[in-house]
Amino acid sequence: MSAYLPESLESLRTFLDAGGPVLWLIALLAVGMGFLIAERFWFFFLVFPGELEQRQQQWQQRRETSSWEAHRIREAMISQARLQLGQMLPLLKTLVALCPLLGLMGTVTGMVQVFDVVAALGTGNARAMAAGIGRATLPTMAGLVVALPGLYFTCLLYTSPSPRDQLQHLVCRL
């Protein structure tokens, strides 16, 4: 098992080198998206329920809940909860949209290399052309592969019923 990890890391490095610098950037975005997704799930399902409970207790401890000022305080508490739920989701959506675009940029840079090979060596060197085409297609594939799970989890976080139900429950109890 311990010998498997260095082999895997070496295979990953070889793959990233084969796709060029754009593939390294896509890998960096994938790691960043993973951290953002993990943080949002952690917040939604572990932190947010406790904060909702705390807000409900604050509201229930108020002596006066029917005045205009009390209703504004209630609206502010609900608004803060909504802001917390939506925090970092626009950044996550942006990263998801950026991955395929970076993949296309990798394709363009790879094809430029293919054209350089054709200009220098002619069309007779199929091996050099194939290497450039391979370098061009890897970032496209990687950009799409990274974007798809990112898109899935972003949609899941935007439409996740548990935190939204809890927020609706807070609105009803306040």
Side-chain angles (χ1 to χ4, degrees), residues 30-31 40 76 82 95 155:
V31 170
R40 285 288 84 193
R82 281 195 178 117
L95 294 179
C155 289

Tab-separated table of all heavy atoms in Angstrom, residues 30-31 40 76 82 95 155:
chain	number	residue	atom	x	y	z
A	30	ALA	N	-9.499	22.371	-9.321
A	30	ALA	CA	-10.216	21.201	-8.807
A	30	ALA	C	-10.021	21.066	-7.300
A	30	ALA	O	-10.971	20.786	-6.565
A	30	ALA	CB	-9.748	19.934	-9.526
A	31	VAL	N	-8.803	21.279	-6.847
A	31	VAL	CA	-8.534	21.212	-5.408
A	31	VAL	C	-9.287	22.324	-4.678
A	31	VAL	O	-9.927	22.086	-3.642
A	31	VAL	CB	-7.012	21.291	-5.136
A	31	VAL	CG1	-6.719	21.471	-3.657
A	31	VAL	CG2	-6.316	20.047	-5.662
A	40	ARG	N	-18.816	24.063	2.373
A	40	ARG	CA	-20.247	24.365	2.316
A	40	ARG	C	-21.075	23.234	2.917
A	40	ARG	O	-22.030	23.471	3.639
A	40	ARG	CB	-20.700	24.623	0.871
A	40	ARG	CG	-20.283	25.968	0.344
A	40	ARG	CD	-21.049	27.136	0.942
A	40	ARG	NE	-20.500	27.577	2.210
A	40	ARG	CZ	-21.087	28.388	3.061
A	40	ARG	NH1	-22.264	28.862	2.816
A	40	ARG	NH2	-20.518	28.728	4.191
A	76	ALA	N	-34.065	40.964	9.848
A	76	ALA	CA	-32.601	41.009	9.804
A	76	ALA	C	-32.015	39.647	10.162
A	76	ALA	O	-31.041	39.204	9.536
A	76	ALA	CB	-32.076	42.076	10.758
A	82	ARG	N	-29.972	33.739	5.506
A	82	ARG	CA	-29.949	33.520	4.051
A	82	ARG	C	-28.582	33.864	3.464
A	82	ARG	O	-28.088	33.170	2.572
A	82	ARG	CB	-31.028	34.361	3.381
A	82	ARG	CG	-32.392	33.771	3.490
A	82	ARG	CD	-33.372	34.434	2.525
A	82	ARG	NE	-34.644	33.773	2.651
A	82	ARG	CZ	-35.751	34.361	3.072
A	82	ARG	NH1	-35.743	35.638	3.379
A	82	ARG	NH2	-36.870	33.687	3.154
A	95	LEU	N	-16.037	29.079	-10.536
A	95	LEU	CA	-14.985	28.086	-10.762
A	95	LEU	C	-15.472	26.956	-11.660
A	95	LEU	O	-14.723	26.473	-12.514
A	95	LEU	CB	-14.475	27.536	-9.427
A	95	LEU	CG	-13.749	28.518	-8.526
A	95	LEU	CD1	-13.331	27.850	-7.224
A	95	LEU	CD2	-12.546	29.116	-9.221
A	155	CYS	N	-25.290	22.528	-7.809
A	155	CYS	CA	-26.749	22.415	-7.881
A	155	CYS	C	-27.310	21.789	-6.609
A	155	CYS	O	-28.352	22.219	-6.108
A	155	CYS	CB	-27.158	21.591	-9.099
A	155	CYS	SG	-26.878	22.435	-10.654
